Amino acid sequence: MKKALIIGGGIAGPVTAMALQKAGWEPVVYEAYEDAAAEQIGAYLTVAVNGLSALAEIDAHHLVMNVGHPTDTLSFYTSGGKHITDMPIGGTLPDGTVTHSVKRRDLYRALNAEAVRRGIRYEFGKRLVDARPTAGHGVVATFADGSRAEGDLLVGADGIRSRTREIIDPTAPQAHYLGIYGLGGFVTDPDLHRELGLRPGVYNMIFGKKAFFGYLVAPTGEIWWFANMPGEQELSKQALTDTSPAQWREELMRLLAADRGPAARIVAATPDAGFVTGFNQYDMPSVATWHTDSMVIIGDAAHAVASSSGQGVSMAVEDAVTLALCLRDQPDTASALAEFEHRRRDRVEKVVAHGAETSGDKAQNGVARLLVRLLTPFFLKRAAKQGVGSLNWMFDHRISWSDAAEQVHAGN
């Protein structure tokens, strides 16, 4: 049985491990931290129907549905509190499944626990330092603790700061800062949403005068929220770490003060323990080299998308299942990696471009931001009339485990 060294235990890592196991490989996950990456930054995320469909091919879609909840509607508002329009998020699968929202921490834990349950081995405290091909067409990885591991394939599922990407191509681009700071949190008071008259299960978006704000009400009554704040300069890791929840709250309340609606009340009601540490937002410029004959990058390591696309998890999942199918069906590893890139590059770069376009609006300031706010209602209402159809290419993508030759059943 061929062995795959999978670098990273976030989301792409365990999904890739489960997919490769189904394809007949022996996967081992190497995680840099001393435990699964459940404590990484980030509040919550969405898993679109194309991602859930891909997860179903390895019988893992129920993990998202068990820890998340349906959010099938986007509702947009102006800074003055005026409702613009509602529109669906990504359509519906034949069994009625819609887009789900899930806390990042819960999804990490569920995916890694399921991988372990399926017998997949994990090695913790293994930060990748280097990797080199072996004479036998395999690969040997070296870790910061001095240990080594050898296999037939190394998969870099190690995120936007990927060391694997650097090893494959030292000239590869770095992450691109989008001009946006992110912040998020959870309001645990179950009565606030009733007091404010908020609808559970709806993803609300407010185009504020100085910040973009989104929130939803979970089935428990907990309010989940995020904010995007324009920032010309990327904040250092130290600056992000040193800024306290009280300081983030004060800054965000200042930006939201000019807006009507529930945003300021939600932020004010968020306890310090409910704040998610602020973070810079990035996407990934086109990476020219995804693989060698025995190493490959997937997910954010190859093509990080802006959070506004709602496709980060789904792209990683599609990558994982597609890679497994290529390794199952191609005559050798090198051919499989070339086929994987052929199947995935055009699609993911189109998604990255879509996310960059929507994030660009959030990064505007001054007159440019005013123009965006004035024109946005017009474009949103037109999009709502079109329904999901204008984004069918993104949401209708399907992968079939039983028919690899016809991987794409709709979309590109």
Side-chain angles (χ1 to χ4, degrees):
M1 182 181 292
K2 290 185 176 181
K3 181 179 179 181
L5 316 179
I6 299 174
I7 309 301
I11 292 175
V15 175
T16 301
M18 289 185 279
L20 291 189
Q21 184 187 60
K22 184 172 181 177
W25 282 62
E26 177 194 355
V28 181
V29 178
Y30 295 87
E31 169 57 47
Y33 295 97
E34 294 299 330
D35 198 351
E39 307 306 323
Q40 291 185 15
I41 63 172
Y44 62 96
L45 40 78
T46 57
V47 186
V49 289
N50 51 296
L52 289 167
S53 176
L55 280 171
E57 295 301 307
I58 58 170
D59 193 28
H61 58 300
H62 64 282
L63 300 172
V64 176
M65 300 171 76
N66 288 345
V67 298
H69 55 87
T71 42
D72 62 353
T73 302
L74 281 171
S75 190
F76 295 94
Y77 293 84
T78 68
S79 60
K82 182 180 178 180
H83 180 249
I84 301 172
T85 191
D86 288 350
M87 64 176 63
I89 308 176
T92 305
L93 296 179
D95 65 357
T97 298
V98 298
T99 294
H100 275 57
S101 294
V102 57
K103 289 183 179 179
R104 182 183 295 270
R105 180 178 300 179
D106 290 345
L107 183 56
Y108 280 172
R109 288 173 172 167
L111 291 173
N112 282 289
E114 177 64 11
V116 171
R117 189 192 70 79
R118 295 186 186 190
I120 293 168
R121 182 161 61 91
Y122 275 65
E123 296 283 346
F124 295 105
K126 300 295 182 182
R127 184 173 298 278
L128 181 68
V129 173
D130 201 6
R132 291 287 181 267
T134 63
H137 305 290
V139 62
V140 58
T142 304
F143 301 98
D145 64 0
S147 63
R148 292 156 55 95
E150 190 168 340
D152 299 281
L153 169 68
L154 185 145
V155 181
D158 46 351
I160 200 163
R161 304 293 188 188
S162 173
R163 173 59 184 148
T164 310
R165 183 177 65 238
E166 296 175 341
I167 294 170
I168 290 174
D169 180 9
T171 67
Q174 298 297 309
H176 167 243
Y177 173 56
L178 290 168
I180 301 171
Y181 307 143
L183 191 63
F186 304 99
V187 179
T188 53
D189 179 357
D191 296 321
L192 183 62
H193 82 278
R194 286 189 288 267
E195 179 185 339
L196 296 175
L198 308 181
R199 295 180 292 169
V202 177
Y203 212 146
N204 302 277
M205 305 290 189
I206 302 172
F207 291 87
K209 292 181 178 179
K210 296 183 178 180
F212 186 90
F213 192 84
Y215 68 92
L216 59 85
V217 180
T220 60
E222 189 176 51
I223 301 174
W224 302 4
W225 62 267
F226 77 90
N228 292 150
M229 302 167 284
E232 293 183 4
Q233 293 187 340
E234 182 178 358
L235 294 177
S236 68
K237 184 176 181 180
Q238 189 69 39
L240 292 169
T241 302
D242 289 348
T243 305
S244 69
Q247 291 171 314
W248 283 119
R249 184 187 295 106
E250 180 181 0
E251 172 63 10
L252 186 53
M253 291 287 286
R254 182 185 67 81
L255 295 175
L256 297 173
D259 300 332
R260 295 182 180 179
R265 286 284 306 279
I266 291 172
V267 174
T270 305
D272 285 1
F275 267 83
V276 174
T277 302
F279 51 93
N280 300 306
Q281 293 206 354
Y282 305 92
D283 66 5
M284 195 70 225
S286 180
V287 177
T289 306
W290 284 14
H291 65 88
T292 65
D293 286 349
S294 58
M295 291 185 277
V296 66
I297 49 176
I298 67 168
D300 282 357
H303 48 71
V305 299
S307 60
S308 60
S309 72
Q311 283 287 323
V313 174
S314 296
M315 289 298 99
V317 170
E318 288 182 7
D319 278 359
V321 178
T322 302
L323 176 63
L325 289 171
C326 292
L327 289 166
R328 183 194 69 180
D329 297 335
Q330 294 298 314
D332 55 71
T333 300
S335 298
L337 301 187
E339 176 65 14
F340 165 73
E341 180 176 350
H342 172 72
R343 293 187 185 185
R344 294 297 295 162
R345 181 177 284 278
D346 286 349
R347 172 166 169 77
V348 299
E349 292 193 348
K350 189 175 180 181
V351 174
V352 171
H354 169 73
E357 181 180 356
T358 55
S359 287
D361 294 342
K362 297 177 184 179
Q364 300 295 338
N365 252 323
V367 174
R369 186 174 187 85
L370 176 60
L371 288 173
V372 168
R373 287 174 45 233
L374 290 174
L375 294 173
T376 292
F378 168 76
F379 289 115
L380 284 175
K381 287 177 181 178
R382 187 174 69 176
K385 289 180 180 179
Q386 295 174 334
V388 183
S390 62
L391 293 176
N392 277 348
W393 64 270
M394 188 158 62
F395 295 116
D396 285 357
H397 188 85
R398 299 291 180 263
I399 301 171
S400 172
W401 191 267
S402 61
D403 191 1
E406 297 294 334
Q407 177 203 0
V408 180
H409 291 177
N412 292 312

